[in-house]
């Protein structure tokens, strides 16, 4: 019987991706004046219509580019692990 993939599993891989790429683990940082600043380059998780996807923040206004397509938690979890393996391999060169 396979283990259920939860958002906690996915969040752990997401944090590892951001750490491996030198990005903050949070997509937005609260400034002293109470406004928020987008952490461009940070990888984030989008949830939509019961599915999830990995995206990367790419503009100061919070624009994103999709890294994976929308899929089940299990599908995206495995795609994210493969992505992380590629990042870690690239970093080891």
């Amino acid at each position: 019987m396979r283990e259920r993939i939860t958002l906690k599993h996915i969040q752990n891989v997401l944090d590892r991706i951001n750490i491996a790429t030198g990005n903050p683990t949070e997509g937005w940082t609260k400034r002293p004046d109470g406004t928020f600043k987008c952490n461009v380059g940070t990888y984030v998780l989008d949830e939509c219509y019961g599915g999830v996807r990995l995206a990367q923040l790419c503009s100061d206004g919070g624009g994103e580019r999709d890294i994976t397509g929308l899929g089940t938690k299990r599908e995206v979890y495995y795609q994210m692990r493969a992505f992380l393996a590629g990042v870690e391999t690239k970093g080891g060169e």
Side-chain angles (χ1 to χ4, degrees):
M1 188 159 136
R2 295 190 301 184
E3 181 181 4
R4 176 183 294 258
I5 300 297
T6 66
L7 284 177
K8 184 164 179 73
H9 291 106
I10 296 171
Q11 185 64 48
N12 287 337
V13 177
L14 178 63
D15 289 345
R16 289 177 59 200
I17 289 170
N18 279 313
I19 290 166
T21 57
N23 290 309
T25 56
E26 298 295 324
W28 297 83
T29 302
K30 189 171 185 178
R31 295 177 176 151
D33 66 359
T35 62
F36 287 87
K37 174 191 170 293
C38 178
N39 294 321
V40 175
T42 298
Y43 293 90
V44 295
L45 190 65
D46 284 342
E47 296 179 68
C48 182
Y49 305 112
V52 293
R53 79 172 142 236
L54 178 64
Q56 184 181 33
L57 296 172
C58 60
S59 74
D60 290 331
E64 298 179 352
R65 68 181 183 124
D66 294 341
I67 304 299
T68 69
L70 191 62
T72 67
K73 291 175 191 165
R74 182 169 301 279
E75 291 167 341
V76 173
Y77 173 77
Y78 287 124
Q79 291 172 1
M80 288 172 65
R81 288 194 41 190
F83 183 82
L84 177 60
V87 167
E88 290 174 339
T89 300
K90 179 69 174 165
E93 289 183 349

